[in-house]
Amino acid sequence: MAEKIVIIGASDFQNPLILKAKEKGYETHVFAWKDGAVGEETADYFYPVSITEKEEILEICRQIQPAGIASIGSDLAVVTVNYLAQQLGLRGNGPENTRLATNKYEMRRAFEAQGDPSPRFRLIQAADQDWERLTEGLAWPLIVKPADRSGSRGITKLTGPEGLEEAVETARGYSFLHQAVIEEYVQGEEFSVEFISCEGNHHFLAMTRKFTTGAPHFIETGHIQPAGVAEPVLERVKQVVSHALDTLHVTWGASHAEVMIGPDGRVTIIEIGARMGGDCIGSDLVPLSTGYDYVGMVVDIACGKPLELKQGPHHREACIRFVCSEADLDKLRDIENAGEEQVIRISPMEPFDGHRVTDSSTRYGYMITVRD
């Protein structure tokens, strides 16, 4: 009888995890809202239960008796994954990791206490209105963001006090805790860093150069691997991120760090998720550009198997571009027709209804390419 794995989430970004688990011979049991997501069809068993319903999922899991619990690309799912793993005696990060890695304020406090380089910050509670006091001692520009969301949701950059109240209300509106964090804006280039951890040992896999819309909302428009930084810079990034993973009590599985590298070479941590990065970075770009089976590693670690760090065939460069407008779609067609890059996948495109792209979840689609 095949071993079973429980997967939290059924979206397009979760589907590679479902497919990889099936490829490895696992029977897949997937939990998510029933909204027509691709995972509803690819899973062996689909349960129309919200990923936040931890107790309901736990009771079903006691009947399933899975070998592991996993998810990729979702901070919200991390809470449930860690809880289920702890309750069922499976591999997973503990409650302290959940507290630190899913709340940006708690994460900033932990970084500050352990000497990890990160921006100065303040927490804004639901009732806070004294903007002058809350920004005292912080240097403008400032970034306002929800305390507990990912995917560029509710993020605003401000160069002065004007618009602060509106930005805070937007951020708090996205926050499950109705809290916002304000922090100093860090100048430099933005990158993300992928690690895999096993028994508290952290193994670097890839560094990604990030492209965004810029201020005020910094919505990701594309990612490319490798990042193309000098070797000394890369080594410094590895050291900084590895230390920060210890700070966040990351013991098992994937992690996705976002860092800024300043003009002086200083590395500053923006935030770290104790899960694989979204936007197909971990599921597609890492194996395409490095040959590491990142998703396979996530499955193996969750299910109690040893970590195999081996590289297979890979390309010189891998890239994902997102569609935020019809003009972007025209550019993708030009790239496809030019034939200079090999197209790996084009996602289904949302209909162009004229809506404004406000965060990662409202983009129209994407295209993944490689180049040799």
Side-chain angles (χ1 to χ4, degrees), residues 12 280 284 319-323 328-329 331-337 341-350 364-369:
D12 182 60
C280 301
D284 292 82
C319 174
I320 183 168
R321 297 173 175 88
F322 292 96
V323 176
D328 288 344
L329 184 57
K331 290 177 185 177
L332 295 197
R333 289 175 178 144
D334 290 343
I335 292 169
E336 186 178 12
N337 292 333
E341 300 176 48
Q342 178 187 344
V343 178
I344 300 298
R345 185 166 79 250
I346 300 177
S347 75
M349 293 290 164
E350 296 293 327
Y364 289 97
Y366 62 84
M367 179 170 77
I368 298 173
T369 63

Side-chain angles (χ1 to χ4, degrees), residues 223-290:
H223 307 280
I224 190 168
Q225 288 177 3
V229 299
E231 192 64 28
V233 175
L234 178 59
E235 289 304 314
R236 175 61 180 154
V237 168
K238 291 180 186 179
Q239 293 170 6
V240 168
V241 174
S242 184
H243 186 275
L245 293 174
D246 286 338
T247 296
L248 298 181
H249 298 267
V250 175
T251 305
W252 300 103
S255 60
H256 173 75
E258 296 180 353
V259 303
M260 196 76 77
I261 300 179
D264 59 356
R266 174 179 167 82
V267 179
T268 303
I269 301 169
I270 303 303
E271 58 191 61
I272 296 179
R275 39 77 180 170
M276 187 182 290
D279 281 2
C280 301
I281 293 172
S283 58
D284 292 82
L285 299 193
V286 169
L288 288 170
S289 74
T290 71

